């Protein structure tokens, strides 16, 4: 059975459609592949940027990035999420030619070497198109298809898997838009709008994953609330991805720099898992795999 069979036709994207036990069943359809969602799915982060907040400047050659990819896969990554533009708060947009130049040679090389689903983290349709041509099958759009009107039709046409992440505005200015009366309710509603945008152009329901966008147009306190109330995002009826990895809300609690936020990341992932998240975008794949294997065991064994 694939995720999404039984979805009510023409519905707004809100409503249960995953089957009897939505937490441990189904597939994510992406580029003709079916990625099983029966156990926690880990996206290993690989940023080919000079300025990402935790791994910027580390993988500046294709060879260095390939070695990192191999490490992430050995540690248990199910998917590699490749980015060529930092979206940390305050980051400036990268010209599309430069973003393509960063990600395409690596995607081609990794697709030749490994049989792993590849995701590209981009808001630009031209970058997504080049990445799909180079072997990516998933587009992780932190704007939830809002940044580039050409993105949604492209993803529908290419049958790509899509991550719809919640953000407001642009990374450069988004923290000014972190004003909510009910953060989980408003994020759920705005994600519902993003889902509608996807469905309207013909992206299949079982190609869609949603993400509350931890740290994107959110204060540290709003991130805490979102993690506590993640179940309200889960009720949208789409598999939920979270990306708390090494983020500043963890640093704010622990007073530690990004590389020392592994345990904080794991705590956030396990809490999100217990609340119904099924996909986890992390830098520290080995630690996340071990922790989520235990939480999965606890959640699934009577
Ligand atoms: N977070 C970042 C980037 N992309 N995509 C999704 N779906 N969810 C996230 O939470 C998310 C994301 C930011 O982290 P990182 O890529 O490590 O940093 P930077 O944006 O500085 O490259």
């Amino acid at each position: 059975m694939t995720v999404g069979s039984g979805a009510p036709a023409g519905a707004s994207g809100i409503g249960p459609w995953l089957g009897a036990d939505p937490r441990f069943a189904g597939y994510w359809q992406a580029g003709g592949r079916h990625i099983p969602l029966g156990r926690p799915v880990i996206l290993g982060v690989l940023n080919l940027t000079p300025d990402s907040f935790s791994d910027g400047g580390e993988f500046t050659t294709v060879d260095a990035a390939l070695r990192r990819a191999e490490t992430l896969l050995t540690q248990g990554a199910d998917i590699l999420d490749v980015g060529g533009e930092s979206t940390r708060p305050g980051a400036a947009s990268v010209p599309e030619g430069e973003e393509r130049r960063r990600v395409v040679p690596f995607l081609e090389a990794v697709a030749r070497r490994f049989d792993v689903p590849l995701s590209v983290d981009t808001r630009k349709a031209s970058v997504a198109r080049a990445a799909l041509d180079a072997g990516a099958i998933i587009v992780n759009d932190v704007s939830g298809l809002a940044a580039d009107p050409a993105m949604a039709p492209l993803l529908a046409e290419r049958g790509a898997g899509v991550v719809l992440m919640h953000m407001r505005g642009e990374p450069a200015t988004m923290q000014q838009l972190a004003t909510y009366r009910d953060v989980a309710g408003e994020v759920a509603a705005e994600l519902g709008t993003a889902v509608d945008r996807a469905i309207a152009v013909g992206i299949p329901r079982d190609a869609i994953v949603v993400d509350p966008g931890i740290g994107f147009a959110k204060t540290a306190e709003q991130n805490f609330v979102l993690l506590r109330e993640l179940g309200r995002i889960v009720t949208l009826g789409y598999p939920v991805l979270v990306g708390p990895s090494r983020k500043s809300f963890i640093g704010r609690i622990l007073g530690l720099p990004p590389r020392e936020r592994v345990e904080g990341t794991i705590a956030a992932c396990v809490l999100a898992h217990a609340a119904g998240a099924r996909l986890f975008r992390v830098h520290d794949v080995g630690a996340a795999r071990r922790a989520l294997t235990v939480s999965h065991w606890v959640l699934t064994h009577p």
Side-chain angles (χ1 to χ4, degrees), residues 53 89 175 213-216 218-228 242-258 261-272 281:
F53 80 95
Q175 289 312 103
I214 303 283
F216 286 82
K218 280 100 186 170
T219 62
E221 288 73 17
Q222 288 160 353
N223 292 322
F224 305 153
V225 175
L226 270 175
L227 282 171
R228 264 202 315 274
V242 288
S245 192
R246 300 183 182 177
K247 284 186 177 167
S248 62
F249 78 98
I250 298 169
R252 156 97 181 269
I253 301 170
L254 298 177
L256 292 171
R261 297 176 188 165
V262 182
E263 298 86 349
T265 299
I266 298 306
C269 285
V270 167
L271 283 166
R281 180 185 182 276

Side-chain angles (χ1 to χ4, degrees), residues 28-32 35 43 79-85 99 103-104 107 117-148 150-166 194 198 203-204 206-211 239 241 279 281:
W28 184 14
Q29 187 194 301
I35 299 166
L43 288 82
I79 296 168
L80 297 180
D81 186 41
V82 178
E85 177 184 63
E99 197 181 329
V103 298
V104 167
L107 287 168
L118 294 171
S119 161
V120 63
D121 183 346
T122 187
R123 296 173 286 157
K124 301 185 187 82
S126 71
V127 176
R129 182 178 291 107
L132 293 168
D133 289 344
I137 60 169
I138 295 161
V139 175
N140 171 22
D141 183 346
V142 299
S143 81
L145 305 179
D148 186 338
M151 183 69 98
L154 170 74
L155 303 187
E157 178 200 319
R158 301 292 290 266
V162 51
V163 180
L164 300 175
M165 199 199 77
H166 177 271
I203 294 174
D206 54 6
I208 296 172
V209 160
V210 297
D211 178 343
L241 183 153
L279 304 99
R281 180 185 182 276

Side-chain angles (χ1 to χ4, degrees), residues 3-92:
V3 174
S5 58
S12 70
I14 298 179
W17 48 270
L18 283 164
D21 188 342
R23 292 177 304 163
F24 313 113
Y27 293 87
W28 184 14
Q29 187 194 301
R33 285 175 84 139
H34 288 75
I35 299 166
L37 295 168
R39 65 161 194 167
V41 173
I42 295 185
L43 288 82
V45 178
L46 225 166
N47 283 318
L48 307 174
T49 57
D51 58 341
S52 285
F53 80 95
S54 93
D55 59 351
E58 274 188 57
F59 314 111
T60 48
T61 65
V62 169
D63 275 353
L66 277 175
R67 280 194 296 277
R68 178 66 179 159
E70 188 162 19
T71 302
L72 293 173
L73 293 175
T74 307
Q75 291 177 347
D78 300 296
I79 296 168
L80 297 180
D81 186 41
V82 178
E85 177 184 63
S86 173
T87 48
R88 71 188 186 287

